[in-house]
Amino acid sequence: MRADSPRTAVVIGCGTTGTSVALALTAAGVDVALIDEDPRATAEAVAIGAGAAWTARRPPADLVVVATPPSEVVDTLYSAQSRGLGNVYTDTAGTKEIVSAEAELRGCDLKGYVPGHPLAGPDAPGPDAADAGRFAGRPWVLCPYETTPDWALGTVAALVELCGADRLDLAPHVHDRIVAELSHGPHLVAAALSTRFADSSSAFLGLAGQGLRDAVRTAGGDPWLWSDVLAHNAGPVADVLERISDQLAGAAAILREGDDSAPLELALTLEEGRRGEAALRQAGDLRTTRDARTGRRV
Amino acid sequence: MRADSPRTAVVIGCGTTGTSVALALTAAGVDVALIDEDPRATAEAVAIGAGAAWTARRPPADLVVVATPPSEVVDTLYSAQSRGLGNVYTDTAGTKEIVSAEAELRGCDLKGYVPGHPLAGPDAPGPDAADAGRFAGRPWVLCPYETTPDWALGTVAALVELCGADRLDLAPHVHDRIVAELSHGPHLVAAALSTRFADSSSAFLGLAGQGLRDAVRTAGGDPWLWSDVLAHNAGPVADVLERISDQLAGAAAILREGDDSAPLELALTLEEGRRGEAALRQAGDLRTTRDARTGRRV
């Protein structure tokens, strides 16, 4: 264990992410205290061994992880710092530019706060889906401020290591553009694709193949959590949606036109899509191969 | 075996679908002859046990299966009927309204032709992906003409049964709307989503999760085959694409507007998407459960 590894931690927010972080830290021997505004969520996380319920008698923890939805991160951070819950703070919100800027504007103690985002796959909400191995072999983005001291960054880097994840430092706006392309935009596309099926008969839906079910699976995520994430990454997500909307409108126009050149024009788009799918699959295979070599779970 | 089961068959087109049909028929004891304009494709299908290469010395077969891309079906059917290759004909093209109407206009013998479409999942093209069990437990749509005689329909229904598929009779335009919603539209959405990644770095793409790779997997299909299919189902596919394009543009506008109501407005769309995803998944589970009970492979 590295010297700056936390020995005590507080996790605020017992959703899938927070509970998974708590499970991973507990498994690594860290003494974890749990807080959630919903006492049932805390109790469920305690029941599956994620840690103990936090009490006011605890001394400040080495590390506090704020695992709330993006719109609640800064208020929660400010309040936790005011109450002196810990020495170093991080969060796990899926957007970073607004969160980082708001923390600064709100007057949070930036010396002790490193914004972060573990890029684990989309899953059902709630602690049932929590898993100590959720972050193993996955990227975990940190967005330190220019002024972040080494001791704070070291503690949060140790958290990433204890969770088995790969640390990747990015500027907040770069992070936000990346997740807009790889996660937030595609999430809304999956939702748009599946709204059509909300009131369809099972006889009709039973004709669908596995490809379609796989294509819309991420749309099963918590609508409230996701709408919060999307609204916090509005510009980059809108860019992605407008591009895809234009592409689909363009393909529809080619089909409506009905020229003899339609198959050729469509094939050019499909060929680019095929190349993109192959590139994405190969990048995933690379990661899987590397993780198999290092014995990490993907 | 039912009395109208074919004892001899010709399969024209040794792609994934044709070769899979040939493998299933051969496995059921049918004497299968294979034709492909590319002699290598025929040789590969013969090599994996799908049947023998067709020769002009063969008497007319009980059944001829035309497994070419949609735009070649009618010419192939007309030519096969003119040469007297068999007694009953069907095809496997993914669009049915244009194919059915063109066969009539072209003067094909409609008494002996039953348009069909096995709804197997999307896969890589070519005989490598061929599999005798490809259609087991999956729907297989037939679009008989009002004038189709029982003897022709019976032989094609026997083909569906020999392949282990579930026969479903639909009007051609109903079939085309269904596949536009469940397959053709979603295919172009996956392609639009993945074009962005065609020239991206593997470092960037390695940050993607399994959800995105699954969402775009169908975009890996053969661009030429798919552009042919899409152009043959232009109206219904354009309807689907325009609807999704409008939804994405609407979501982008909500994000650009940046009102406080944005999360609520987005959550309503996401909730409808979540319901659609759940309905689609449950319909798939129903099918899987039923197939497990009847011992069919899905």
Side-chain angles (χ1 to χ4, degrees):
Chain A
M1 191 182 283
R2 45 194 289 175
D4 46 10
S5 270
R7 281 160 306 171
T8 56
V10 176
V11 174
I12 308 179
C14 295
T16 306
T17 301
T19 306
S20 297
V21 169
L23 283 168
L25 289 176
T26 298
V30 179
D31 178 16
V32 177
L34 303 163
I35 301 179
D36 195 292
E37 58 182 16
D38 178 355
R40 285 168 307 184
T42 314
E44 283 173 33
V46 170
I48 63 171
W54 181 84
T55 66
R57 284 186 298 273
R58 287 194 171 244
D62 294 338
L63 174 69
V64 177
V65 180
V66 178
T68 64
S71 64
E72 297 170 25
V73 165
V74 174
D75 278 350
T76 305
L77 172 67
Y78 186 85
S79 154
Q81 288 187 330
S82 307
R83 292 154 70 195
L85 253 56
N87 300 315
V88 175
Y89 295 77
T90 188
D91 74 298
T92 61
T95 66
K96 296 271 69 84
E97 189 162 27
I98 289 184
V99 168
S100 308
E102 279 187 352
E104 195 163 0
L105 286 170
R106 183 86 154 85
C108 294
D109 173 14
L110 298 189
K111 285 196 310 297
Y113 168 53
V114 184
H117 177 216
L119 274 68
D123 268 316
D128 285 352
D131 176 2
R134 183 171 172 78
F135 312 105
R138 296 284 302 145
W140 189 314
V141 174
L142 299 184
C143 302
Y145 296 91
E146 286 186 19
T147 55
T148 299
D150 284 347
W151 54 268
L153 190 54
T155 299
V156 178
L159 161 71
V160 174
E161 209 168 279
L162 291 176
C163 290
D166 294 337
R167 172 182 161 190
L168 178 65
D169 289 12
L170 293 174
H173 72 279
V174 174
H175 165 274
D176 285 4
R177 297 229 152 247
I178 288 175
V179 292
E181 293 283 0
L182 298 178
S183 169
H184 302 174
H187 186 88
L188 257 170
V189 171
L193 199 50
S194 58
T195 52
R196 166 68 178 85
F197 308 126
D199 300 302
S200 298
S201 73
S202 62
F204 165 63
L205 296 178
L207 300 175
Q210 190 58 41
L212 179 61
R213 285 192 292 275
D214 288 345
V216 303
R217 199 180 63 237
T218 58
D222 181 346
W224 292 101
L225 179 59
W226 273 97
S227 63
D228 195 40
V229 169
L230 296 167
H232 262 71
N233 198 13
V237 175
D239 288 345
V240 173
L241 298 185
E242 283 165 1
R243 190 185 67 227
I244 296 173
S245 172
D246 287 350
Q247 282 178 290
L248 296 179
I254 292 171
L255 289 164
R256 294 270 183 233
E257 197 77 33
D259 287 351
D260 287 348
S261 61
L264 173 62
E265 291 178 69
L266 291 171
L268 293 176
T269 298
L270 294 175
E271 170 58 18
E272 208 181 339
R274 194 197 59 72
R275 286 203 302 123
E277 192 277 332
L280 195 63
R281 183 161 29 81
Q282 282 154 17
D285 289 345
L286 265 183
R287 174 167 279 279
T288 309
T289 307
R290 196 209 55 189
D291 293 328
R293 216 167 44 228
T294 58
R296 276 178 177 161
R297 215 196 62 145
V298 180
Chain B
M1 190 182 284
R2 46 196 288 176
D4 45 12
S5 270
R7 282 161 305 173
T8 57
V10 176
V11 173
I12 308 178
C14 295
T16 306
T17 301
T19 306
S20 295
V21 169
L23 283 167
L25 289 176
T26 298
V30 179
D31 178 16
V32 177
L34 303 163
I35 301 177
D36 195 290
E37 58 183 14
D38 178 353
R40 286 168 306 184
T42 313
E44 283 173 35
V46 170
I48 62 170
W54 181 84
T55 66
R57 283 187 298 274
R58 288 198 169 240
D62 294 337
L63 173 69
V64 177
V65 180
V66 178
T68 64
S71 63
E72 297 170 25
V73 165
V74 173
D75 277 352
T76 306
L77 172 67
Y78 186 86
S79 152
Q81 288 188 329
S82 307
R83 293 153 72 196
L85 253 56
N87 299 316
V88 175
Y89 295 77
T90 187
D91 74 299
T92 62
T95 64
K96 295 272 68 87
E97 189 162 28
I98 290 183
V99 167
S100 308
E102 278 188 352
E104 194 164 0
L105 286 170
R106 183 86 153 85
C108 294
D109 173 16
L110 299 190
K111 284 194 312 298
Y113 168 55
V114 183
H117 176 216
L119 273 68
D123 268 315
D128 284 350
D131 176 3
R134 184 172 171 79
F135 312 106
R138 295 284 303 147
W140 189 314
V141 174
L142 299 184
C143 302
Y145 295 91
E146 283 186 21
T147 54
T148 300
D150 284 347
W151 54 266
L153 189 54
T155 298
V156 178
L159 160 71
V160 174
E161 210 169 280
L162 290 176
C163 290
D166 294 336
R167 171 181 162 190
L168 177 65
D169 289 13
L170 293 174
H173 72 280
V174 174
H175 166 275
D176 284 5
R177 297 228 153 245
I178 288 175
V179 293
E181 294 282 359
L182 297 179
S183 169
H184 302 174
H187 186 88
L188 257 170
V189 171
L193 199 50
S194 59
T195 52
R196 165 69 179 82
F197 308 126
D199 299 303
S200 299
S201 73
S202 62
F204 165 64
L205 296 178
L207 300 175
Q210 190 58 42
L212 181 60
R213 286 193 292 275
D214 288 345
V216 303
R217 200 180 62 238
T218 58
D222 180 348
W224 292 102
L225 179 59
W226 272 97
S227 64
D228 195 41
V229 169
L230 296 168
H232 261 70
N233 197 14
V237 175
D239 288 345
V240 173
L241 298 184
E242 285 165 359
R243 190 186 67 227
I244 296 173
S245 171
D246 288 350
Q247 282 178 292
L248 296 179
I254 292 171
L255 289 165
R256 293 270 183 232
E257 196 77 31
D259 287 349
D260 288 348
S261 62
L264 173 61
E265 291 178 68
L266 291 171
L268 294 175
T269 299
L270 294 175
E271 169 59 18
E272 206 180 340
R274 195 198 57 74
R275 287 203 301 124
E277 192 277 333
L280 196 62
R281 183 162 29 82
Q282 282 154 17
D285 289 345
L286 266 183
R287 173 167 281 278
T288 309
T289 308
R290 195 207 57 190
D291 292 330
R293 218 169 42 232
T294 58
R296 277 178 176 159
R297 213 196 64 143
V298 180

